Amino acid sequence: MIIDVHGHYTTAPAELRAWRQRQIAAIGSPFNEPLTISDDQLRQTLEAGQIKLQRDRGTDVTLFSPTAGGMEHHVGTFETSLQWSRTVNDLIYRVCTLYPENFIPVCQLPQSPGVDPATCIEELERCVNQLGFVGCNLNPDPSDGYWTDPPMTNRYWYPLYEKLVELDVPAMIHVSGSCNPNFHGTGAHYINGDTTFFMQLILADLLKDFPALKFIIPHGGGAVPYHWGRYRGIAQDAGRPAPEELMRNVWFDTCVYHQKGVETLVEVMGPDNVIFASEMIGAVRGVDARTGRYFDDTKPYVDALNLSEADRGTIFEGNAFKAYPRLAKKLARQ
Amino acid sequence: MIIDVHGHYTTAPAELRAWRQRQIAAIGSPFNEPLTISDDQLRQTLEAGQIKLQRDRGTDVTLFSPTAGGMEHHVGTFETSLQWSRTVNDLIYRVCTLYPENFIPVCQLPQSPGVDPATCIEELERCVNQLGFVGCNLNPDPSDGYWTDPPMTNRYWYPLYEKLVELDVPAMIHVSGSCNPNFHGTGAHYINGDTTFFMQLILADLLKDFPALKFIIPHGGGAVPYHWGRYRGIAQDAGRPAPEELMRNVWFDTCVYHQKGVETLVEVMGPDNVIFASEMIGAVRGVDARTGRYFDDTKPYVDALNLSEADRGTIFEGNAFKAYPRLAKKLARQ
């Protein structure tokens, strides 16, 4: 089975964006309008989009979450973020109920800059316990480009980590868009967020404090595999454990859009720490004229590596079951 | 000849740091104390440090600049930054005068957050025209971790670029330390700065407006070569020129501290865009127990690549002469 752990509902019907715009326009006054999108509309966007690509590319199931760039945790108050998160999580739930063989739900959290992350627990529990979600996306910068909250290794975040461990779901560390004109969203803020988080892990005892906590770092772990010597050296100079030790709890996904990059990822980190993903339909939507394939069609890059069948299975399937413990039951139930 | 384009005077005598602390303590009141360090003190730190490593590693000459982490452009006012920059640039000039065969001077600019970059021109001209400096370090985030100034492609920076072109000196885009607890300096802020700047270039016409402007992006170009497919795809989706076109004016240095990383850098970018550097003595100071060599001894990584002698010469020497047009005359004069 080929499991893509990183897909976003970026193709949602325009009604979703329109609803969101009305919600934002109403900030400060009551807004209770329900989101109205029919099942047929959902089917249309998915069958022309993600399901078609699954079929074309030969992947079986996608762990599916709301658009990362649309989380926009900086907008409004915690209540704004909560209402938005519930709305998009419910939409993801509907998608996964319509196509249980294609999509497994992963939720957005109602984060808000400066607001205690414990406030996210109620929505996390609702998604996992009531709606069968298997993971969440956790934004390391709820300010969306200004990094004003404490580092992810700060005890500020610990109540949320306790709940993740209790529920046995991992977090994909995933920024949202960038309000900072210095940082392009998918080209800078995304990659910087991944790199920044891994460097935070190196310097802190977070994974010692939570040995069962699991993280997926998307986009190939940001810059980390390419600079693995730097991270090993910085850890050593700082008297910290070797970064390899972090990799008991951490996986880097394969959202790296060229052959040499994926080769570097797998060779440096090893198959046990690489988890298959495409981010589709997401950051890069075009077809590479050089290969005639979509940039984000990541399966051929992995296929082209000189790997044993066992290692290939670890990347395409095995690591997903390890990183997302609830996934096995979820797939068996269908 | 093997030219290392990226070395910092991180081993300066303790008197420098002490002077700087007194300068900072005096912010708001007059401070006119001269820096007092003897030539013998300079010789001691260099012969035990950078010159010893040059000899041990078989490199010939280092383009030498003040400690990047110490630029601290966020501290005080423009006047604070100017006084500090003059002081450390003068120190670099002394080093390069004492050891003209070992070190070629590169300057720090008196940047200050929110202050017109044109204010840096006078110190740049002094360094280049009076003291024979061949390049400068340009901080893309003078706030040191909060990215509050305009992107580097904004016209805000254009007067400085005009002067760089007029003087025929390149800028190495190099952040300073990070005041933001989210960003470790050398492990996150450095790499993020490199990645961020390249993504800014993709979206803007800066190099069309300044076809003679030259940039060195250190630390292997941040995450860029590893994510080259992402950058190609984002440029294509945005209707921008292919990122290869930027590489007429841009070089990535070899400050990538493991074999696979350097291999990826050279294979993806090609020898014409890779410029030899070690960052010594800098971000990572330890010896890698696996290789028995310093992490930042980057020459063996390049030596181990399957390259023609011509390509090796391009990386070790040729690109330095292209990126730093004043270097040839400077070396010939000695």
Side-chain angles (χ1 to χ4, degrees):
Chain A
M1 181 183 278
I2 296 181
I3 304 168
D4 180 344
V5 303
H6 186 180
H8 300 294
Y9 194 17
T10 48
T11 57
E15 281 80 354
L16 180 64
R17 176 59 31 199
W19 182 94
R20 170 66 166 164
Q21 280 164 352
R22 291 195 296 278
Q23 188 214 16
I24 292 172
I27 286 173
S29 49
F31 179 76
N32 296 306
E33 190 191 310
L35 174 67
T36 312
I37 293 177
S38 71
D39 283 355
D40 274 351
Q41 285 177 288
L42 296 181
R43 286 194 194 94
Q44 212 167 10
T45 61
L46 293 158
E47 290 184 8
Q50 287 84 350
I51 291 175
K52 180 181 180 306
L53 290 182
Q54 285 180 337
R55 234 177 264 134
D56 292 349
R57 300 179 179 186
T59 63
D60 296 300
V61 62
T62 301
L63 273 58
F64 207 54
S65 62
T67 305
M71 298 191 296
E72 298 176 322
H73 289 124
H74 71 280
V75 171
T77 62
F78 167 74
E79 286 68 28
T80 316
S81 186
L82 179 63
Q83 184 183 39
W84 173 230
S85 297
R86 278 188 183 149
T87 300
V88 286
N89 288 335
D90 283 347
L91 196 69
I92 292 293
Y93 174 72
R94 286 177 60 201
V95 164
C96 297
T97 305
L98 284 172
Y99 297 98
E101 296 188 358
N102 297 86
F103 301 110
I104 303 288
V106 166
C107 66
Q108 166 178 327
L109 296 174
Q111 296 175 249
S112 194
V115 176
D116 183 351
T119 55
C120 295
I121 288 176
E122 192 178 323
E123 176 62 3
L124 175 67
E125 285 188 312
R126 182 182 82 93
C127 288
V128 174
N129 289 333
Q130 292 176 36
L131 306 179
F133 283 55
V134 302
C136 65
N137 294 334
L138 178 57
N139 184 350
D141 172 28
S143 78
D144 296 337
Y146 291 96
W147 294 89
T148 49
D149 276 5
M152 303 295 288
T153 47
N154 190 290
R155 284 175 183 275
Y156 177 77
W157 299 91
Y158 273 30
L160 184 57
Y161 296 145
E162 280 166 24
K163 186 55 67 176
L164 289 171
V165 170
E166 181 197 315
L167 293 173
D168 209 12
V169 295
M172 177 176 278
I173 300 298
H174 204 311
V175 295
S176 184
S178 162
C179 307
N180 188 324
N182 280 283
F183 303 134
H184 180 264
T186 54
H189 192 45
Y190 276 32
I191 306 299
N192 293 352
D194 307 332
T195 308
T196 297
F197 174 70
F198 190 79
M199 187 61 224
Q200 292 176 3
L201 284 184
I202 286 180
L203 294 179
D205 288 331
L206 175 61
L207 294 177
K208 203 169 138 189
D209 292 345
F210 293 98
L213 192 56
K214 297 181 174 77
F215 291 117
I216 297 92
I217 306 185
H219 325 107
V224 174
Y226 175 52
H227 283 290
W228 193 239
R230 175 173 289 258
Y231 293 102
R232 288 186 54 238
I234 289 176
Q236 181 178 299
D237 284 357
R240 296 293 309 169
E244 283 82 356
E245 294 194 24
L246 301 171
M247 302 309 293
R248 289 179 205 143
N249 303 62
V250 175
W251 290 266
F252 292 167
D253 84 10
T254 62
C255 296
V256 176
Y257 297 151
H258 63 142
Q259 188 63 47
K260 188 68 187 178
V262 174
E263 176 198 305
T264 302
L265 167 65
V266 175
E267 194 171 305
V268 173
M269 306 313 302
D272 286 346
N273 285 108
V274 175
I275 194 163
F276 180 71
S278 71
E279 203 183 355
M280 69 112 178
I281 298 173
V284 177
R285 302 188 178 203
V287 168
D288 183 353
R290 291 194 200 154
T291 63
R293 291 193 308 255
Y294 285 98
F295 281 103
D296 71 356
D297 181 4
T298 51
K299 184 171 169 293
Y301 306 134
V302 178
D303 286 339
L305 300 177
N306 184 21
L307 289 173
S308 70
E309 274 314 298
D311 284 346
R312 207 176 298 280
T314 299
I315 292 172
F316 279 135
E317 178 185 311
N319 289 334
F321 287 121
K322 274 194 198 157
Y324 296 83
R326 285 173 176 258
L327 182 61
K329 271 187 203 162
K330 186 91 187 166
L331 286 171
R333 211 176 286 148
Q334 284 162 17
Chain B
M1 181 181 279
I2 297 181
I3 303 167
D4 180 345
V5 303
H6 186 182
H8 299 295
Y9 194 18
T10 49
T11 57
E15 280 80 354
L16 180 65
R17 176 57 35 197
W19 182 94
R20 170 67 165 164
Q21 280 163 353
R22 290 194 297 278
Q23 189 215 14
I24 293 173
I27 286 173
S29 48
F31 179 76
N32 296 308
E33 190 190 312
L35 174 66
T36 313
I37 293 178
S38 71
D39 284 356
D40 274 351
Q41 283 177 293
L42 296 181
R43 287 196 193 96
Q44 211 169 11
T45 61
L46 294 158
E47 290 185 9
Q50 286 84 351
I51 292 177
K52 181 183 180 307
L53 290 182
Q54 285 180 338
R55 235 177 264 136
D56 292 350
R57 300 178 180 186
T59 62
D60 296 300
V61 62
T62 301
L63 272 56
F64 208 52
S65 62
T67 305
M71 297 189 297
E72 299 176 323
H73 290 124
H74 71 279
V75 171
T77 61
F78 167 72
E79 285 70 27
T80 315
S81 188
L82 178 62
Q83 183 181 39
W84 172 229
S85 296
R86 279 187 182 153
T87 301
V88 287
N89 288 335
D90 284 346
L91 196 67
I92 292 292
Y93 174 70
R94 286 178 59 199
V95 164
C96 296
T97 305
L98 283 173
Y99 297 98
E101 296 190 357
N102 298 87
F103 301 110
I104 302 287
V106 167
C107 67
Q108 166 177 326
L109 296 173
Q111 296 176 249
S112 193
V115 176
D116 183 349
T119 56
C120 295
I121 289 176
E122 192 180 321
E123 176 62 2
L124 175 66
E125 286 189 311
R126 183 182 80 96
C127 287
V128 174
N129 290 333
Q130 293 175 35
L131 306 179
F133 283 54
V134 302
C136 65
N137 293 333
L138 178 57
N139 184 350
D141 173 27
S143 78
D144 296 336
Y146 291 95
W147 294 89
T148 49
D149 277 4
M152 303 293 290
T153 47
N154 190 293
R155 283 174 185 274
Y156 177 75
W157 299 92
Y158 274 29
L160 184 57
Y161 297 146
E162 281 166 24
K163 185 55 66 174
L164 288 171
V165 169
E166 180 197 315
L167 294 173
D168 209 12
V169 294
M172 176 176 279
I173 300 299
H174 203 310
V175 296
S176 184
S178 162
C179 307
N180 189 324
N182 281 283
F183 303 134
H184 181 264
T186 54
H189 192 45
Y190 276 32
I191 308 298
N192 294 352
D194 307 332
T195 308
T196 297
F197 174 71
F198 191 79
M199 188 60 224
Q200 292 176 4
L201 284 184
I202 287 179
L203 295 179
D205 289 331
L206 175 61
L207 294 177
K208 204 171 138 191
D209 292 344
F210 294 97
L213 192 56
K214 298 182 174 77
F215 292 118
I216 297 92
I217 305 185
H219 324 109
V224 173
Y226 175 53
H227 283 289
W228 193 240
R230 174 172 291 257
Y231 294 103
R232 289 186 54 236
I234 288 175
Q236 181 178 299
D237 284 358
R240 296 292 308 169
E244 282 82 356
E245 294 195 24
L246 301 172
M247 301 311 291
R248 288 178 208 146
N249 303 60
V250 175
W251 290 265
F252 293 169
D253 85 9
T254 62
C255 296
V256 176
Y257 297 152
H258 64 141
Q259 186 64 48
K260 189 69 186 177
V262 174
E263 176 196 307
T264 303
L265 166 65
V266 174
E267 196 170 305
V268 173
M269 305 313 302
D272 285 345
N273 286 109
V274 175
I275 193 163
F276 180 71
S278 72
E279 204 184 353
M280 68 110 176
I281 298 173
V284 177
R285 303 190 178 202
V287 168
D288 184 352
R290 289 192 200 155
T291 62
R293 290 194 306 255
Y294 286 98
F295 281 103
D296 70 357
D297 181 5
T298 50
K299 185 170 168 291
Y301 306 136
V302 178
D303 286 337
L305 300 177
N306 184 19
L307 289 174
S308 69
E309 275 313 297
D311 284 345
R312 204 177 301 280
T314 299
I315 293 172
F316 279 134
E317 179 185 311
N319 289 335
F321 287 120
K322 275 193 197 154
Y324 297 83
R326 286 173 176 258
L327 182 60
K329 273 187 205 164
K330 185 90 187 164
L331 285 171
R333 210 174 290 148
Q334 284 163 17

